[in-house]
Amino acid sequence: MEKEKIFWRMLNVIEDDIVPQTRLAVSHGHKIFGAAILLRSDLSLVVAGTNHEGWNPLWHGEVYTIKKFFELPSHPDPEDCLFLSTHEPCSMCLSSIAWSGFPEIYFLFEYEETRDAFHIPYDIQILNEVFNCPHPSRSNSFFKSFALKEIASAMGESELAMARLEKLDRIYKELSDIYQAGEKKMVLK
């Protein structure tokens, strides 16, 4: 399927399906990471989810979404799906996606953006300190992963694409500020 069509659909899913769930979750103290699973054939949404680490430290957005996917009474085969993550998946989430059998991952924010713009450095720290792997391969025998911003660059960074990406950057910055403010309140108590 054409990457440009996937790009636009992924932005719509983030904005329309993941962000509303993430807004609610952040208001309850969960982090800003979300995910969705789409059918490869027509890009229809199968399931979307967000982070629930406040309930369980393993409920990262991707893992929680995978949980919801496999709880569906008649979920499609993961091979027939595309996995969307708002942020480049951490080592646990990458493993979960690989073990689940999703062959393609698309993401909006890279590890460095998660660390620098959203003040969450743990993905890179764990990759470096636990696995001695500064950046996992985006193409391996388990999956291929694609940065949506790189797809936008390959499309020539149209004004519309850049405007949509900037809008999502602002939304996630706002959500991050809310999350970070809540974290500081919890530390001060």
Side-chain angles (χ1 to χ4, degrees):
M1 184 169 289
E2 172 182 322
K3 290 286 188 244
E4 189 170 336
K5 184 175 181 181
I6 292 171
F7 171 83
W8 291 112
R9 178 64 177 137
M10 296 295 185
L11 294 189
N12 289 339
V13 169
I14 291 170
E15 197 169 329
D16 299 337
D17 301 293
I18 299 172
V19 165
Q21 291 185 49
T22 303
R23 279 191 197 287
L24 181 61
V26 166
S27 74
H28 292 281
H30 305 291
K31 287 184 180 157
I32 60 173
F33 307 111
I37 299 167
L38 293 83
L39 274 178
R40 177 189 311 276
S41 60
D42 63 3
L43 300 181
S44 61
L45 180 66
V46 177
V47 66
T50 194
N51 185 287
H52 290 90
E53 281 185 61
W55 297 343
N56 179 329
L58 301 180
W59 288 154
H60 289 202
E62 297 90 340
V63 173
Y64 196 78
T65 302
I66 292 168
K67 170 192 169 309
K68 288 174 64 174
F69 176 84
F70 283 104
E71 289 175 345
L72 294 172
S74 57
H75 63 76
D77 186 323
E79 283 281 329
D80 298 329
C81 297
L82 303 176
F83 199 95
L84 170 61
S85 182
T86 57
H87 296 70
E88 194 166 7
C90 73
S91 55
M92 178 179 73
C93 294
L94 281 176
S95 295
S96 298
I97 294 165
W99 279 109
S100 297
F102 295 101
E104 288 183 35
I105 305 168
Y106 294 82
F107 61 88
L108 181 58
F109 300 106
E110 294 185 2
Y111 293 125
E112 293 76 14
E113 291 174 283
T114 301
R115 178 193 62 208
D116 300 339
F118 304 118
H119 314 290
I120 302 174
Y122 312 112
D123 297 343
I124 291 175
Q125 283 180 311
I126 290 172
L127 286 168
N128 281 323
E129 295 178 28
V130 176
F131 297 103
N132 194 27
C133 173
H135 208 288
S137 167
R138 288 193 185 163
S139 181
N140 53 65
S141 60
F142 299 100
F143 56 78
K144 289 183 175 31
S145 62
F146 306 92
L148 292 173
K149 292 179 180 178
E150 290 176 7
I151 294 171
S153 291
M155 292 172 12
E157 297 184 357
S158 74
E159 276 187 43
L160 183 57
M162 297 316 292
R164 289 288 302 280
L165 290 170
E166 287 169 10
K167 178 181 179 184
L168 287 169
D169 283 349
R170 285 191 306 274
I171 289 169
Y172 275 93
K173 176 69 172 122
E174 170 196 319
L175 291 170
S176 177
D177 290 346
I178 293 166
Y179 170 75
Q180 294 296 333
E183 279 289 292
K184 288 180 177 98
K185 285 180 190 173
M186 290 190 322
V187 170
L188 294 175
K189 287 184 179 182

